[in-house]
Amino acid sequence: MNRALIVAATLIIAAIGAVAMDLLSIPGGMLMGGALAVSIAALAGLPAAAPDSFRNVLFVGVGLSMGASVAPDTLQLIGQWPITLIALALELVVIVFACGLVLRRVFKFDTGTAYLSSFPGHLSFIMALATTGVGNPRQIVIIQVQRVMFLTLFAPIGALFLPVGTYDGAGSEMMDLTTLAMVTVGCALTGWAFQRLKVPAAYVLGSMAFATVMKLTGNFPGALPPLLVDLTFIGMGALIGSRFAGITRAEFMQAAFGGTVATVITIAITTLFALGVSVFVSMPIGQIWLGLSPGGLEPMGALGIALGYDTAFIAAHHVARLLMLTFAIPLVVMLVQGKPQPLTEPSESPDTR
């Protein structure tokens, strides 16, 4: 099938799933429904794709929306961030240790696969290391994508039991289209510059940085057109779901059980840390959870927009998580490479083809 038709079909499936889920009035349903629909289609064998150029356009849209949704009292709340950042660092240690231990001892994954699957984020970095012979790349990518998918799906469901955020950084009046066009161009150029500087999630962070500066200086007033936000959510759902393309059901089932257990452990640890931190800071617990959540910056930022939380807080903590992992992953890999593999005999090791 022509690649353009595959992309179009992926977006149509995402749109159908998004609208269907939105009708159920679930917070973030547009994002959740699109991701779920495309994931099911991909695992069923239907082709699904989201090209890099389309991805960057989406990331500009996410960053633009996040900047427009920055809470007006963000600068006053920054003083509370050291507490949540310390909690984030401790949470990452607990998640990697607990999930790695379970995947090794219970599911008999080799040490490299177990710990590279346990790191909450930096998938491209992790996969680069996996291709050098550390762990099973196919199992790692299934578990990592599964983690992001589950977090994207469960966060809106959990929000049904939590008060939705009250931040209204965008205001109620629709922004001027000329201003929107100018800020969008600025976001795209800043994202391109960030990419040239090798900044992680360059187009999201660059776009958000530019939009946030414009917002806080009073040059980006009003709310984004709802259609633009909805299209961004549908596109993000298509992008998340398309990551399952090319993975057979047999491969998925081989790693899915262990990945599901690891994801449940991760969600439980994140929730416990969010509850603990909420005692010390005056923020909605849902916002704290999204900031500490080991999901991707793009989907968690999009959920923050949909749920009405301070996107500056969420983005800052996900950037901090990526920086922490940048130093932690190589350290753990060096320890793994120097450790014997007593739990799995060579004849029983997972297929690495």
Side-chain angles (χ1 to χ4, degrees):
M1 186 184 296
N2 182 278
R3 185 166 177 79
L5 291 178
I6 293 175
V7 173
T10 303
L11 291 173
I12 291 171
I13 293 170
I16 293 172
V19 172
M21 193 66 70
D22 190 56
L23 292 175
L24 299 176
S25 300
I26 295 177
M30 296 289 285
L31 177 66
M32 173 182 174
L36 182 60
V38 175
S39 298
I40 293 173
L43 289 174
L46 295 177
D52 288 348
S53 56
F54 172 70
R55 180 194 64 184
N56 291 336
V57 170
L58 279 178
F59 288 175
V60 169
V62 171
L64 177 69
S65 301
M66 291 173 70
S69 303
V70 168
D73 57 350
T74 291
L75 296 178
Q76 286 73 36
L77 293 173
I78 287 178
Q80 300 182 31
W81 289 11
I83 297 174
T84 53
L85 288 171
I86 291 172
L88 175 65
L90 294 174
E91 174 199 82
L92 292 178
V93 173
V94 175
I95 286 174
V96 173
F97 177 79
C99 291
L101 190 64
V102 168
L103 290 175
R104 285 188 67 228
R105 295 193 178 278
V106 177
F107 295 97
K108 307 303 181 183
F109 282 28
D110 66 86
T111 306
T113 300
Y115 283 103
L116 286 184
S117 298
S118 301
F119 278 109
H122 249 329
L123 179 58
S124 58
F125 188 16
I126 288 171
M127 293 312 299
L129 290 172
T131 57
T132 65
V134 182
N136 183 322
R138 299 290 282 185
Q139 289 187 327
I140 292 169
V141 75
I142 291 171
I143 294 173
Q144 288 284 1
V145 172
Q146 188 179 12
R147 169 181 55 83
V148 175
M149 172 61 68
F150 279 15
L151 288 166
T152 304
L153 297 181
F154 289 143
I157 295 174
L160 291 173
F161 305 97
L162 296 171
V164 176
T166 56
Y167 291 118
D168 189 19
S172 57
E173 294 185 7
M174 197 71 64
M175 68 175 56
D176 177 76
L177 292 181
T178 302
T179 301
L180 174 60
M182 293 177 63
V183 173
T184 301
V185 171
C187 286
L189 291 174
T190 307
W192 176 83
F194 274 37
Q195 186 179 55
R196 300 284 290 182
L197 295 172
K198 308 297 184 183
V199 176
Y203 277 92
V204 176
L205 294 178
S207 298
M208 183 182 176
F210 185 85
T212 299
V213 170
M214 297 295 285
K215 185 74 179 179
L216 295 179
T217 55
N219 295 304
F220 192 28
L224 291 175
L227 179 61
L228 176 62
V229 178
D230 288 345
L231 290 176
T232 300
F233 287 168
I234 291 171
M236 280 301 302
L239 178 63
I240 295 168
S242 66
R243 290 176 176 173
F244 283 106
I247 295 176
T248 66
R249 276 173 285 182
E251 287 177 316
F252 179 78
M253 293 307 298
Q254 184 181 23
F257 189 34
T260 299
V261 172
T263 302
V264 170
I265 293 172
T266 298
I267 292 174
I269 292 171
T270 302
T271 302
L272 289 175
F273 270 86
L275 288 170
V277 169
S278 67
V279 176
F280 302 98
V281 299
S282 56
M283 298 179 191
I285 188 172
Q287 176 179 300
I288 299 171
W289 195 94
L290 284 179
L292 299 182
S293 169
L297 169 61
E298 299 87 0
M300 294 302 109
L303 282 174
I305 298 165
L307 299 175
Y309 295 132
D310 181 6
T311 51
F313 172 87
I314 295 170
H317 284 66
H318 280 274
V319 171
R321 174 173 58 87
L322 292 176
L323 290 174
M324 293 175 190
L325 291 177
T326 299
F327 294 99
I329 291 172
L331 176 62
V332 173
V333 167
M334 285 189 291
L335 293 174
V336 166
Q337 288 178 322
K339 178 180 286 190
Q341 311 282 324
L343 296 176
T344 307
E345 296 297 328
S347 60
E348 299 173 348
S349 61
D351 185 7
T352 57
R353 287 179 293 178

